[in-house]
Amino acid sequence: MAGAVGWGGAGTVGSVAWDVGEVVVLREVLGGRIRSARPLRVVADSPAGFAGYLTPRSTVMWPRLVGEEQSQTPDQGWRLRREEWQGPGCLFVIPAGAAYAVVRFLDRDHDRPVGWKVDFMAPPRVGAVSLDTLDWAFDLLVDADATTWTSKDEDDLAQLCRVGLLDPQDQVVLALARAEVTEALATRTGPFAAWADWRADPTWKALELPTGWDQLPPTATTEDQATASVLARGGAVVHPVTAEPGRAGPHPGVVARSGRGVRLLDAAGRVWLDADLADGTLLHGHAHPAVVEAVTRQATLALATGLLHEGQVTVAEAVVARFSPVERVLTCASGVDAWRTAVELTRRASGRSTVAAWHAPIDDGDVLLLPTDGAQAAARLAIAAGRLAAVVVDPLVLATLDEACDGSDGGPDGQSRGGPDGPSGRTRLVETLARLAVSGTRLVADERRTLGAGPAGGCARLGLAVDLVVLGESLFGGLPGGLVGGATSLLSAGDPLGTAGVAPNPLATSAALETLRQADGRTLDRTEARAQRLRQAWGAGGLGNVARLPAGASVATLRAAGVLVGVDGSVHVATVADDDDINALLMAAKDTACT
């Protein structure tokens, strides 16, 4: 039994007492997952409380985001990474029943006191080889002689309160603990007096985590249950979003927490290789540093204006310069609003009502959904020609229409070639679209997923002349925003739905400008070359930075292997993806028998 060192208080930290010299793990546990683990050599364990020492260079498990930054608060998500403790020696002193640990810092090389810190946390629970708690983020930094102190991470504490990880009762406990610590500092009592002269034994070696450090009680929640808990909470308060007609819904059971580049961290701590990229809207991947910097800079200036602002004008100028036949633009709150606005503009201009598309965010009874067979789509359009206000063309769909339908061979640019019996279905479709355009049907380019198809968009890449261009969240770096561009005469009807013409959020326009800057020709060419590796390996089509899984490939099987792809079989290659990421995609497809 440990030799007791008394410093006031009563009771015990828990029901188990450890001997001096044993190794105990101080763990953070939340939602059935371990958030951190630090091995402590037991220095004292008595009715007054517990004390344990973290030796420099010991092995710890630390919470990291996918970009390797430390996860500051649990709501960011985390994955555990095994590391060597690079900090000073740390003596953790936990009074019985306390909602804090007083930490004495000792110089890692000379064992001299260098200061104190108070970590406020849930009162620890005793496990077989562990003390389990959850850090409440808020700390006090105390100088070496415990005469002055400052608070730290109050913003992180506020965030934990906002997301409900500190309920009102916890907040009361924290306030009482803070008052107790402040009193002990003011009177130089408690751990600050009892442990001021303590030193570590210089012969102590760095510690390894003991066997069983990662074992949780049978009653603890599993990782899958942690995800289920979030889904259940969402199901109680969030109305489910219905997918667009002709499109599938999101990935079931995946709850995102954070992302960096082409890696996504979910609520269960799993790291995914993300080739879905929010349905292709994240051309530059998650949290691209330049986009983050632009948005952060704008956030310090204004979050919203409600007025015409310079960012809106600059984005419009960039779109006019880049996309043909855009002369003017209407800005919208989202890509869906932009799609709807474009449709209503064509209805007003033509006096007709029917709109044909391969997928649509509206179903007003007069939307003709087209099949993914070029010849059949051409036939349906020909039948409806007299009542068609517009055909909304998704270039990604157009580029891959016939790869598995008419026996034609998909070329390197994703365009199918004519078979021995005549032109391909796509050729027939393009010819039909040209005839419709002559007869007054408007062609609308839905570029919401094809910003990476080329500087002027996917339809221009495929040689298709259009009347209107619809851009969405991919232009705005994944933030809400939309835009309709076209000839001045066609946009003269103004805002047919009353949802356009609103100045987009300055944060979104900042993200849009940086997204366009990063999407230069050289970058898009490099990204397309990587997507082309996938298209060639899979013998499938695609366009620009997008490849399609081969026929028979299982999206669900890839998901089980830790890879997210589009639910419609599209694989989006971010501009920040490298050759290793492409190799990982190829290997995952091979291992899951997708090729």
Side-chain angles (χ1 to χ4, degrees):
M1 174 72 177
V5 177
W7 60 87
T12 60
V13 173
S15 58
V16 175
W18 288 286
D19 291 334
V20 170
E22 284 191 80
V23 178
V24 175
V25 183
L26 181 61
R27 305 189 303 188
E28 288 186 85
V29 179
L30 177 65
R33 293 181 57 212
I34 296 171
R35 177 165 165 78
S36 69
R38 290 163 283 187
L40 306 181
R41 185 186 303 274
V42 176
V43 173
D45 184 24
S46 77
F50 170 88
Y53 184 64
L54 173 60
T55 311
R57 303 176 181 84
S58 293
T59 298
V60 299
M61 301 298 292
W62 211 243
R64 297 288 180 182
L65 301 176
V66 292
E68 302 306 327
E69 298 93 341
Q70 180 178 335
S71 173
Q72 295 296 108
T73 57
D75 62 295
Q76 294 178 307
W78 73 90
R79 57 173 177 160
L80 279 179
R81 193 178 77 175
R82 186 178 296 271
E83 300 180 8
E84 181 181 281
W85 178 249
Q86 298 297 320
C90 299
L91 174 70
F92 287 81
V93 180
I94 308 174
Y100 61 87
V102 173
V103 185
R104 183 61 157 157
F105 292 143
L106 301 175
D107 182 274
R108 61 181 290 154
D109 296 316
H110 305 290
D111 197 34
R112 291 192 297 265
V114 292
W116 303 80
K117 183 174 77 164
V118 182
D119 284 338
F120 292 92
M121 60 190 188
R125 303 178 306 276
V126 175
V129 296
S130 65
L131 288 172
D132 293 342
T133 182
L134 179 65
D135 194 315
W136 283 343
F138 179 69
D139 302 324
L140 293 181
L141 296 180
V142 184
D143 64 4
D145 61 4
T147 57
T148 60
W149 56 91
T150 58
S151 60
K152 178 178 179 288
D153 296 333
E154 293 199 59
D155 54 341
D156 289 339
L157 170 62
Q159 176 64 8
L160 291 184
C161 294
R162 279 193 293 269
V163 299
L165 290 177
L166 254 76
D167 60 30
Q169 182 177 352
D170 291 332
Q171 295 173 44
V172 171
V173 172
L174 173 58
L176 293 173
R178 183 173 184 177
E180 179 181 325
V181 170
T182 303
E183 175 66 19
L185 283 167
T187 59
R188 293 296 300 276
T189 57
F192 302 101
W195 295 90
D197 298 325
W198 185 87
R199 299 291 185 274
D201 186 330
T203 66
W204 285 347
K205 304 296 185 184
L207 300 174
E208 296 293 331
L209 289 163
T211 301
W213 73 267
D214 56 348
Q215 298 301 307
L216 294 172
T219 56
T221 322
T222 65
E223 291 186 359
D224 288 340
Q225 287 173 321
T227 299
S229 174
V230 178
L231 293 172
R233 286 164 48 206
V237 295
V238 179
H239 189 74
V241 177
T242 304
E244 294 181 11
R247 296 280 292 280
H251 293 282
V254 180
V255 178
R257 275 287 174 82
S258 63
R260 174 63 64 90
V262 295
R263 295 299 189 276
L264 183 72
L265 183 67
D266 75 1
R270 294 172 294 212
V271 177
W272 300 83
L273 175 56
D274 189 4
D276 181 11
L277 296 174
D279 200 19
T281 63
L282 298 176
L283 174 61
H284 304 305
H286 297 277
H288 189 282
V291 177
V292 170
E293 181 181 358
V295 172
T296 302
R297 183 171 62 249
Q298 178 58 48
T300 66
L301 301 174
L303 294 175
T305 65
L307 302 170
L308 178 72
H309 56 86
E310 188 174 4
Q312 178 185 5
V313 175
T314 308
V315 169
E317 290 172 337
V319 170
V320 168
R322 191 161 183 155
F323 293 88
S324 175
V326 177
E327 296 174 351
R328 296 177 68 86
V329 303
L330 279 175
T331 54
C332 304
S334 69
V336 168
D337 282 343
W339 198 100
R340 293 169 174 169
T341 297
V343 164
E344 291 305 317
L345 284 171
T346 64
R347 285 171 169 168
R348 288 193 178 190
S350 66
R352 304 170 185 172
S353 61
T354 302
V355 174
W358 280 272
H359 47 78
I362 61 173
D363 185 9
D364 60 4
D366 214 350
V367 175
L368 173 65
L369 288 178
L370 298 171
T372 55
D373 178 290
Q376 291 181 16
R380 291 193 187 183
L381 289 173
I383 293 172
R387 55 189 175 92
L388 282 176
V391 180
V392 183
V393 180
D394 182 336
L396 182 57
V397 174
L398 184 63
T400 54
L401 273 179
D402 295 323
E403 60 194 41
C405 297
D406 63 1
S408 59
D409 180 28
D413 58 359
Q415 299 190 43
S416 55
R417 313 303 184 202
D421 297 327
S424 70
R426 183 180 317 149
T427 300
R428 299 187 201 114
L429 175 60
V430 171
E431 292 172 349
T432 300
L433 291 174
R435 288 194 296 270
L436 290 172
V438 171
S439 65
T441 298
R442 307 291 183 170
L443 299 185
V444 179
D446 183 356
E447 303 282 358
R448 291 181 297 161
R449 298 195 295 163
T450 47
L451 193 64
C459 279
R461 173 72 179 276
L462 295 173
L464 189 65
V466 298
D467 300 287
L468 291 175
V469 174
V470 173
L471 295 166
E473 281 70 16
S474 62
L475 171 64
F476 293 93
L479 295 176
L483 183 148
V484 181
T488 302
S489 57
L490 191 52
L491 269 62
S492 61
D495 179 6
L497 294 177
T499 58
V502 178
N505 187 283
L507 301 183
T509 58
S510 296
L513 288 170
E514 196 57 46
T515 295
L516 288 175
R517 289 192 188 102
Q518 296 295 324
D520 59 81
R522 179 179 299 180
T523 299
L524 293 182
D525 287 346
R526 182 178 65 246
T527 305
E528 179 171 5
R530 292 194 166 109
Q532 181 63 13
R533 282 187 58 198
L534 299 176
R535 293 195 285 263
Q536 289 177 335
W538 293 336
L543 182 68
N545 70 317
V546 182
R548 296 298 297 267
L549 291 175
S554 169
V555 173
T557 303
L558 275 174
R559 185 166 57 239
V563 178
L564 297 178
V565 299
V567 290
D568 62 351
S570 57
V571 177
H572 300 269
V573 179
T575 59
V576 296
D578 58 25
D579 289 336
D580 289 340
D581 298 322
I582 301 304
N583 291 337
L585 282 168
L586 291 171
M587 184 62 68
K590 180 179 180 181
D591 290 345
T592 54
C594 285
T595 58

